[in-house]
Structures are given as C-alpha cells and as structure tokens.
Amino acid sequence: MKFHVNRDVFSEAVSFVVKLLPQRNPQPILAGVLIEASEDGLSLAAFDYEASARTTIEATVDEPGTILVHGRLLSEIASRLPNAPIQIEVGEDDGIVLTCGSARFTLASMPVQEYPAIPEVSGESGLVQAEDFATAIAQVAFAASRDDVTPVLTGVQLEVAGNELSLVATDRYRVALRDVKFDGGGVASEESTTALVPARTLTEVGKTFAHSGDIQIAFSGSGDREIIAFTAGNKTVTSLLIKGNFPPVRRLFPEQTDHYAVVNTAELAEAVRRVALVLDRSAPLRFTFTEDGVSMDASGTEQARATESVDATLTGEDVTLGLNPQYLLEALGAVKSEFARITFTSSDNANKLSPVLITPQTSGTPESFKYLLQPNLLLR
C-alpha cells in the first residue's frame, strides 16, 4: 500500500477517529486505526466494540491496501509534522513508513485480520440541526452520573416522538431535559423511539459535529447489539446503546407554580462561586429568597464565613433552602439566558424536601430546557 495525502486533512481525520478510543484499552488491537486506501480515497476508522468513528478523505493512492497502526501515536506524529504532503507506504519488513518533508517515521503494523468489523447502520433515521443538537448535549450530558455502578445513569436518554427529540440525563440528585426539533422525513411517527447513549460518547459527538449543518441520526440493530449512528458530512460515529430501563424522571417535573424567583443568571453564578470558596467540599450553600433579593450564607472550616446577596424578583412566600453550589452553577451555565427562573415546587410529603426547577426566563415561548435540582438538608 502507498498513498500521498495533505498533512492537515490527514491529521484532522486521525484526531477525529482516535478521540473516542479509551486511554487504556485491555485489548492492544483496539488501540489501532484502520486505514484503507482505494480508488475512492482514504478511509480511517477506529472501534472498541462500544463506539466507532469513521471518516473518508481525499488522497492520491498509488497502491491500494489496508493497514492497522497505533492510533494515538499516529495522531501525535501527524499533528507535529512539517507543512508538507505526507506519504505512507508499507516497508519491506511490513512496517509502516511515513515520510513528510525531511521527517521519516517507521511504525509497527498491527494484524489487520484480527481487527473487528466496523458496525454498519441501516435503520430508520432523521435529521437534527447540528448547532441546536450540540447545545442540547452540553445542556444535559453533565447531569449524567459518572459512577459506573449504575450504568443506566451514565447515559443520556434520547427520545424521538414525532418531530421532537428530547435529551434527558440524571444522577439521582438532579435531572436535565432539553427538547430540539427533529426531522424524521416521511417516516415520522408518533410512536416514540428511545436510545440510551453513553454521555461521554454523546459529548464528543456534540463537540465534533457542532458546526456541521445537519446531523443524521440512525437507529439500528437489536437485542444486545442495538446501536445509534451520528453522521455529518464525511464523518460517522456509532455507539452501542446502554441496556436497561432509564428511570421515569419526566414525571418529576412539576407544572409551573406561582412560587418562583427571577434572577440575573451571571450575577447569581458569580456570587455563588465567591461564597462557595469557604465551604467544605460537598457541603450545601444556604440560600434565602425574599422580596429584597436572594442572600447566600456559607460557613466552612477554620471559622471562615461568607455572605453575599444579589437582586431577585420573588413571587410568593420567602423560602430558605440548601443547594449543592456546583450543581447549581452547572445549571446556571446551561440556562443560556440572561435571566433564570427558579421555581419552588411543593410536595405532598411534608417531611420531604421538594426540588427546585430551573429554567430560562423567556416570554411567550415554551421552555425547551428544564433542570430539576434536589435541595440538601440544612443543619439548623
């Protein structure tokens, strides 16, 4: 095999396919990038049985063929090569020889025949606007759990119903939900389709495809090998879905009540960051909402204490509660609006703390982003 390719195009392609590979792979073969050279150009792919990434780029192919080479090493080399065309060929001892300008690298080849087949997707699909989808992922994925003990909570639930795609994530302490428009084409149905996608994979999809116009989302497979594919331009990412039942968290979202406060999003976030500096790790921050505004009070070790208040418009009774400052900051960062509405919900159980609902404060349009946060018990 032998081909010539533009350095920047090749470097970007290799970087894309290795992003989803785990840092440490139990099977060395899965650390490889599969490169296929043909009359149509160059195809690069990586797969670790759970996620795959594949792209095609233009190249001058002198001799078609297929090679497998260590992905991260190739990516690091490609990103540091001089500004000149790259030539890659198979050497006499089956090693991979990469030449760029006066730079020359010889890399070990990996056995292509041992590499697993890259999944193909042929199921129903639809389109979503890339920028909206990337924003939605950023607004929701952070609320997924990072604890592998409960795998279903480490994913983001995608739900397609008609012309709407919902993203939902929870780690038991909070729930984030965002709706975006979905074009199912002529096959759009009111029957919902769900897919539980690992949050890490979905986050990379959002970053990679944010400026790609439209993203095609396809659902395929069955049983233990259900997969979802995201395609934009010449790039495709597939992910094995997480098996299990996602908790029915939608029912936790209350109808809007008349007990809420409206605050300037940036002002509240800055104040929370300052006051939380004296808090012990994981300790809640005390918030008191009154008609005069919202005040924060934090006490930490070493007798440190901080208080601050910001303007707020309160509708309803005064309320005092404890909130995890980091969880609140992540919500405020996801609101994407100058003002945020913090709604205080009520519960039938007088002994149970009711969650607060955080949404953008906009007029006339239904909220596409909602964030439910469970308060912490304050020690009086």
Side-chain angles (χ1 to χ4, degrees), residues 280-296:
D280 296 332
R281 189 175 177 181
S282 77
L285 180 58
R286 181 189 293 266
F287 291 82
T288 303
F289 293 85
T290 68
E291 61 180 14
D292 297 324
V294 53
S295 59
M296 289 145 276

mmCIF file of all heavy atoms in Angstrom, residues 280-296:
data_model
loop_
_atom_site.group_PDB
_atom_site.id
_atom_site.type_symbol
_atom_site.label_atom_id
_atom_site.label_comp_id
_atom_site.label_asym_id
_atom_site.label_seq_id
_atom_site.Cartn_x
_atom_site.Cartn_y
_atom_site.Cartn_z
ATOM 1 N N ASP A 280 -16.904 23.636 52.931
ATOM 2 C CA ASP A 280 -16.295 22.317 52.864
ATOM 3 C C ASP A 280 -16.805 21.621 51.614
ATOM 4 O O ASP A 280 -17.918 21.880 51.143
ATOM 5 C CB ASP A 280 -16.678 21.477 54.093
ATOM 6 C CG ASP A 280 -16.132 22.081 55.368
ATOM 7 O OD1 ASP A 280 -15.098 22.758 55.290
ATOM 8 O OD2 ASP A 280 -16.755 21.875 56.429
ATOM 9 N N ARG A 281 -16.004 20.713 51.101
ATOM 10 C CA ARG A 281 -16.397 20.004 49.888
ATOM 11 C C ARG A 281 -17.717 19.261 50.106
ATOM 12 O O ARG A 281 -17.900 18.605 51.131
ATOM 13 C CB ARG A 281 -15.298 19.014 49.497
ATOM 14 C CG ARG A 281 -15.510 18.398 48.134
ATOM 15 C CD ARG A 281 -14.343 17.521 47.761
ATOM 16 N NE ARG A 281 -14.590 16.882 46.469
ATOM 17 C CZ ARG A 281 -13.751 16.053 45.892
ATOM 18 N NH1 ARG A 281 -12.612 15.759 46.482
ATOM 19 N NH2 ARG A 281 -14.034 15.513 44.727
ATOM 20 N N SER A 282 -18.613 19.378 49.150
ATOM 21 C CA SER A 282 -19.932 18.720 49.131
ATOM 22 C C SER A 282 -20.919 19.303 50.138
ATOM 23 O O SER A 282 -22.045 18.831 50.244
ATOM 24 C CB SER A 282 -19.825 17.197 49.359
ATOM 25 O OG SER A 282 -19.601 16.895 50.717
ATOM 26 N N ALA A 283 -20.516 20.319 50.904
ATOM 27 C CA ALA A 283 -21.465 20.952 51.826
ATOM 28 C C ALA A 283 -22.416 21.845 51.038
ATOM 29 O O ALA A 283 -22.021 22.476 50.063
ATOM 30 C CB ALA A 283 -20.713 21.770 52.872
ATOM 31 N N PRO A 284 -23.690 21.913 51.471
ATOM 32 C CA PRO A 284 -24.644 22.762 50.750
ATOM 33 C C PRO A 284 -24.440 24.245 51.070
ATOM 34 O O PRO A 284 -23.861 24.603 52.092
ATOM 35 C CB PRO A 284 -25.999 22.285 51.266
ATOM 36 C CG PRO A 284 -25.719 21.761 52.635
ATOM 37 C CD PRO A 284 -24.335 21.173 52.577
ATOM 38 N N LEU A 285 -24.915 25.063 50.156
ATOM 39 C CA LEU A 285 -24.876 26.508 50.346
ATOM 40 C C LEU A 285 -26.291 26.969 50.699
ATOM 41 O O LEU A 285 -27.255 26.563 50.070
ATOM 42 C CB LEU A 285 -24.399 27.178 49.053
ATOM 43 C CG LEU A 285 -24.277 28.701 49.016
ATOM 44 C CD1 LEU A 285 -23.337 29.201 50.093
ATOM 45 C CD2 LEU A 285 -23.767 29.133 47.634
ATOM 46 N N ARG A 286 -26.392 27.806 51.744
ATOM 47 C CA ARG A 286 -27.706 28.262 52.202
ATOM 48 C C ARG A 286 -28.180 29.468 51.372
ATOM 49 O O ARG A 286 -27.472 30.456 51.224
ATOM 50 C CB ARG A 286 -27.641 28.666 53.675
ATOM 51 C CG ARG A 286 -28.989 29.142 54.243
ATOM 52 C CD ARG A 286 -28.796 29.738 55.622
ATOM 53 N NE ARG A 286 -28.394 28.736 56.590
ATOM 54 C CZ ARG A 286 -29.235 28.069 57.391
ATOM 55 N NH1 ARG A 286 -30.525 28.308 57.319
ATOM 56 N NH2 ARG A 286 -28.788 27.197 58.249
ATOM 57 N N PHE A 287 -29.370 29.332 50.828
ATOM 58 C CA PHE A 287 -29.988 30.407 50.044
ATOM 59 C C PHE A 287 -31.260 30.862 50.745
ATOM 60 O O PHE A 287 -32.062 30.033 51.196
ATOM 61 C CB PHE A 287 -30.364 29.921 48.640
ATOM 62 C CG PHE A 287 -29.191 29.618 47.753
ATOM 63 C CD1 PHE A 287 -28.526 28.397 47.840
ATOM 64 C CD2 PHE A 287 -28.742 30.545 46.824
ATOM 65 C CE1 PHE A 287 -27.449 28.108 47.022
ATOM 66 C CE2 PHE A 287 -27.662 30.269 46.001
ATOM 67 C CZ PHE A 287 -27.007 29.050 46.100
ATOM 68 N N THR A 288 -31.446 32.163 50.841
ATOM 69 C CA THR A 288 -32.688 32.724 51.374
ATOM 70 C C THR A 288 -33.271 33.681 50.347
ATOM 71 O O THR A 288 -32.636 34.686 49.992
ATOM 72 C CB THR A 288 -32.449 33.455 52.700
ATOM 73 O OG1 THR A 288 -31.855 32.559 53.652
ATOM 74 C CG2 THR A 288 -33.765 33.964 53.271
ATOM 75 N N PHE A 289 -34.445 33.334 49.851
ATOM 76 C CA PHE A 289 -35.121 34.161 48.854
ATOM 77 C C PHE A 289 -36.198 35.000 49.555
ATOM 78 O O PHE A 289 -37.067 34.454 50.242
ATOM 79 C CB PHE A 289 -35.767 33.290 47.776
ATOM 80 C CG PHE A 289 -34.786 32.557 46.908
ATOM 81 C CD1 PHE A 289 -34.257 31.329 47.313
ATOM 82 C CD2 PHE A 289 -34.393 33.072 45.683
ATOM 83 C CE1 PHE A 289 -33.350 30.646 46.519
ATOM 84 C CE2 PHE A 289 -33.488 32.396 44.881
ATOM 85 C CZ PHE A 289 -32.964 31.182 45.296
ATOM 86 N N THR A 290 -36.109 36.316 49.400
ATOM 87 C CA THR A 290 -37.115 37.229 49.959
ATOM 88 C C THR A 290 -37.457 38.278 48.894
ATOM 89 O O THR A 290 -36.855 38.296 47.816
ATOM 90 C CB THR A 290 -36.589 37.951 51.215
ATOM 91 O OG1 THR A 290 -35.548 38.861 50.814
ATOM 92 C CG2 THR A 290 -36.039 36.963 52.238
ATOM 93 N N GLU A 291 -38.380 39.161 49.242
ATOM 94 C CA GLU A 291 -38.750 40.214 48.293
ATOM 95 C C GLU A 291 -37.602 41.197 48.065
ATOM 96 O O GLU A 291 -37.601 41.959 47.096
ATOM 97 C CB GLU A 291 -39.994 40.958 48.780
ATOM 98 C CG GLU A 291 -39.816 41.653 50.119
ATOM 99 C CD GLU A 291 -41.072 42.375 50.579
ATOM 100 O OE1 GLU A 291 -42.153 42.118 50.007
ATOM 101 O OE2 GLU A 291 -40.967 43.184 51.509
ATOM 102 N N ASP A 292 -36.592 41.173 48.953
ATOM 103 C CA ASP A 292 -35.438 42.063 48.801
ATOM 104 C C ASP A 292 -34.364 41.476 47.891
ATOM 105 O O ASP A 292 -33.420 42.165 47.516
ATOM 106 C CB ASP A 292 -34.813 42.364 50.169
ATOM 107 C CG ASP A 292 -35.781 43.099 51.083
ATOM 108 O OD1 ASP A 292 -36.555 43.930 50.554
ATOM 109 O OD2 ASP A 292 -35.775 42.831 52.292
ATOM 110 N N GLY A 293 -34.457 40.182 47.586
ATOM 111 C CA GLY A 293 -33.463 39.530 46.742
ATOM 112 C C GLY A 293 -33.127 38.143 47.278
ATOM 113 O O GLY A 293 -33.876 37.564 48.064
ATOM 114 N N VAL A 294 -31.990 37.603 46.842
ATOM 115 C CA VAL A 294 -31.548 36.300 47.331
ATOM 116 C C VAL A 294 -30.200 36.479 48.027
ATOM 117 O O VAL A 294 -29.288 37.110 47.495
ATOM 118 C CB VAL A 294 -31.439 35.265 46.184
ATOM 119 C CG1 VAL A 294 -30.574 35.784 45.034
ATOM 120 C CG2 VAL A 294 -30.877 33.944 46.696
ATOM 121 N N SER A 295 -30.108 35.959 49.257
ATOM 122 C CA SER A 295 -28.856 36.046 50.004
ATOM 123 C C SER A 295 -28.269 34.654 50.167
ATOM 124 O O SER A 295 -28.994 33.662 50.267
ATOM 125 C CB SER A 295 -29.078 36.694 51.379
ATOM 126 O OG SER A 295 -30.011 35.937 52.126
ATOM 127 N N MET A 296 -26.942 34.583 50.179
ATOM 128 C CA MET A 296 -26.219 33.322 50.334
ATOM 129 C C MET A 296 -25.367 33.390 51.584
ATOM 130 O O MET A 296 -24.785 34.439 51.885
ATOM 131 C CB MET A 296 -25.333 33.070 49.110
ATOM 132 C CG MET A 296 -26.096 32.707 47.851
ATOM 133 S SD MET A 296 -25.312 33.360 46.359
ATOM 134 C CE MET A 296 -25.973 35.030 46.337
#
